[in-house]
Amino acid sequence: MNFYQQLTAMANEIEGIDVITSEAWYRRFAIFSANLGLMIPNVPMADHVDLFKKTIRNQCWAKEEQHHFQQMEYALDDPVREVIAGLPKQPAIIATFHMGSYRLLGQVLAKMGVKFSLLLATNIAIDQGETFRRSIHDIGGPLPTTFDIIDAESPAAGLKMLRSLGRGESLLAYVDGNTGAGSQQSKTIPVSFMNGTLHVRQGLPWLAYRAGVPLHVIHCLRQGPGRARFKLGVNPLPGNNGYTPIASDIQRAMQVLYADLAAHITDDPWQWECWLYLQHYLLK
């Protein structure tokens, strides 16, 4: 069975799930449905099961695609190519979301010879850190001279990130990872999102201001099984000059980030994995 046949088999298996009679699947579906209904109430309840299965399918495909980078078909919009081409001279924070084939971006950066560190939550770093490292070093091509994983929940995370940027290495981070440590990330802030409010971590804009580096947003949009498109998002920090930000700067930046996310998933909410656990973002 080749790569694309594997993806098709996965899709068929997921399509056959009975979310009503399976207690385990029903619990996951109920959480998904509540989260989706709260944020996008105009989506008919009759569509929730199909969207749930598509979300699970996208999640499973993303994990499998990480192991088959060479067989992936992906396209980079010209603005994305320009941003990545400039990273050797001007390191930056590359922000992305758990959307589409989101695990692919690190491999694309490595393939293009970018030096970077990956910011991960403690449990993800422990459970999947080795998988991420292997996926980076298995891509072939002009590998970056350095690649590191930074534990986002370590008390020293902020310092490590600043040092990494100071060495000319970029930082890849998930905006919606919603995890962090240190004074700049110790509290959440509310942002409007679709029909509700999320309480989100604020560390990435703070870090970009503190380090005086750009904060680029790159979205990964699924185009089909084994196919992805990378698109540049809205700049949340225009005119960043490295000064110490005030609360309104951070609030505005986070609002821009999540408004940009909402614009990309309104028509295809299944592209975003976080519906499966969004309830954790509703609490302070």
Side-chain angles (χ1 to χ4, degrees), residues 104-122:
L104 198 65
L105 182 53
Q107 292 170 294
V108 170
L109 293 176
K111 182 74 172 180
M112 298 179 71
V114 175
K115 297 187 296 183
F116 72 100
S117 295
L118 176 62
L119 187 64
L120 294 175
T122 300

Side-chain angles (χ1 to χ4, degrees), residues 14 25 28 52-60 276:
I14 292 166
W25 280 113
R28 296 188 68 183
F52 172 71
K53 290 182 179 181
K54 286 181 176 178
T55 303
I56 295 295
R57 183 189 66 186
N58 183 70
Q59 183 186 51
C60 293
L276 298 169

Side-chain angles (χ1 to χ4, degrees), residues 39 178 187-193 196-202 247-256 258-259 281-284:
M39 294 299 167
N178 219 28
K187 297 180 179 179
T188 60
I189 58 174
V191 296
S192 298
F193 181 71
T197 300
L198 301 181
H199 294 273
V200 300
R201 298 285 184 177
Q202 55 188 307
S248 60
D249 295 322
I250 301 300
Q251 178 75 44
R252 182 169 54 252
M254 294 306 300
Q255 187 62 68
V256 168
Y258 275 88
Y281 296 48
L282 305 178
L283 304 174
K284 294 184 179 180

Side-chain angles (χ1 to χ4, degrees), residues 52-157:
F52 172 71
K53 290 182 179 181
K54 286 181 176 178
T55 303
I56 295 295
R57 183 189 66 186
N58 183 70
Q59 183 186 51
C60 293
W61 277 355
K63 291 180 180 179
E64 186 65 23
E65 288 163 348
Q66 185 179 19
H67 303 294
H68 298 274
F69 176 77
Q70 302 288 9
Q71 296 167 274
M72 288 290 295
E73 298 178 21
Y74 63 90
L76 279 64
D77 287 4
D78 288 343
V80 173
R81 288 189 179 276
E82 292 172 7
V83 162
I84 295 177
L87 293 178
K89 292 183 178 180
Q90 173 59 73
I93 297 173
I94 304 298
T96 192
F97 292 89
H98 289 83
M99 182 168 61
S101 190
Y102 60 86
R103 295 166 179 257
L104 198 65
L105 182 53
Q107 292 170 294
V108 170
L109 293 176
K111 182 74 172 180
M112 298 179 71
V114 175
K115 297 187 296 183
F116 72 100
S117 295
L118 176 62
L119 187 64
L120 294 175
T122 300
N123 63 318
I124 302 298
I126 293 173
D127 295 341
Q128 303 179 36
E130 185 56 36
T131 298
F132 277 103
R133 292 182 190 277
R134 190 164 54 250
S135 70
I136 293 298
H137 290 286
D138 286 350
I139 64 168
L143 287 172
T145 55
T146 59
F147 168 71
D148 196 13
I149 292 176
I150 297 177
D151 182 349
E153 297 173 72
S154 165

